[in-house]
Amino acid sequence: MKTLFAAVAIAAVVMHSPGGAGAQTYPSRPITMIVPFAAGGPTDRIGRIVAEGMRAALNQPIVIEDVTGASGTLGVGRAARAAPDGYTLSMGMWATHVLNGAVFTLPYNVLDDFEPIALLTSNPQLVVAKKTVPANNLSELISWLKANPGKASQGTAGAGTRVSGAFFQSLSGTSFAFVPYRGAAPAMQDLIAGQID
């Protein structure tokens, strides 16, 4: 499966690389993969798995750069400014490559500045809470949140989890604070440490 992803990615990059290199074989140097979230989170992990498959298939290093901040726009912006030569890839998700364009004024245009290569994963969102929250299921969590309006906190790893949290509040009639993080890994560390609910 990893080899398939690497083959799809390389085919797309080669097709969209500028001509004129003639006799030069692609890739002739390391490729950078920009992950717009903190190291250790799900996007970073997926990027590293894909990078290893690409490295083996291409016989070139794939350098992961975790460029965090501003709901992923700093990392995606860095990729947008890179030379369009097939040596810089942007990892992302619906929040970084769709939602941010609807929410923020960006210095790049996702539709004009990027070419989709492959859908790597599709996963559901999970609701988890620290051990001291007195809830064993979603119904109990909603009841506890309703009984304690504004007292709980949700870690957000960007605009996408913030939107998901607001949607959850709207559907459940609850209210809680949002705490922004540079990625899912730091949010999970604070959840485990009991800093957020």
Side-chain angles (χ1 to χ4, degrees):
M1 194 64 138
K2 288 187 262 184
T3 305
L4 172 63
F5 290 139
V8 170
I10 297 315
V13 170
V14 170
M15 288 188 313
H16 296 289
S17 296
Q24 200 173 41
T25 302
Y26 178 86
S28 60
R29 59 186 167 89
I31 296 170
T32 298
M33 181 183 295
I34 297 176
V35 176
F37 295 111
T43 308
D44 177 70
R45 289 181 188 172
I46 293 164
R48 291 178 189 278
I49 291 168
V50 171
E52 180 55 28
M54 290 175 63
R55 183 206 56 78
L58 299 172
N59 200 28
Q60 282 291 339
I62 310 300
V63 179
I64 302 290
E65 285 188 17
D66 295 296
V67 181
T68 67
S71 295
T73 61
L74 296 181
V76 177
R78 184 179 196 155
R81 291 186 304 275
D85 58 7
Y87 286 92
T88 303
L89 304 176
S90 174
M91 281 289 291
M93 60 182 61
W94 76 272
T96 57
H97 288 73
V98 177
L99 179 64
N100 284 351
V103 175
F104 305 115
T105 300
L106 302 173
Y108 54 86
N109 184 306
V110 175
L111 296 176
D112 295 338
D113 297 336
F114 293 95
E115 186 68 33
I117 294 174
L119 174 62
L120 299 176
T121 65
S122 179
N123 59 302
Q125 293 194 7
L126 303 173
V127 176
V128 294
K130 66 182 181 182
K131 286 185 173 187
T132 58
V133 171
N136 294 309
N137 56 48
L138 186 59
S139 179
E140 290 178 7
L141 177 64
I142 291 171
S143 294
W144 180 75
L145 289 169
K146 285 182 176 181
N148 296 281
K151 293 183 181 176
S153 57
Q154 175 196 332
T156 62
T161 50
R162 174 65 171 83
V163 168
S164 297
F167 185 58
F168 177 82
Q169 286 179 330
S170 173
L171 290 176
S172 63
T174 58
S175 173
F176 46 84
F178 294 99
V179 180
Y181 288 88
R182 289 184 173 265
M188 187 58 72
Q189 289 171 343
D190 272 5
L191 175 67
I192 292 168
Q195 302 299 314
I196 58 174
D197 299 301

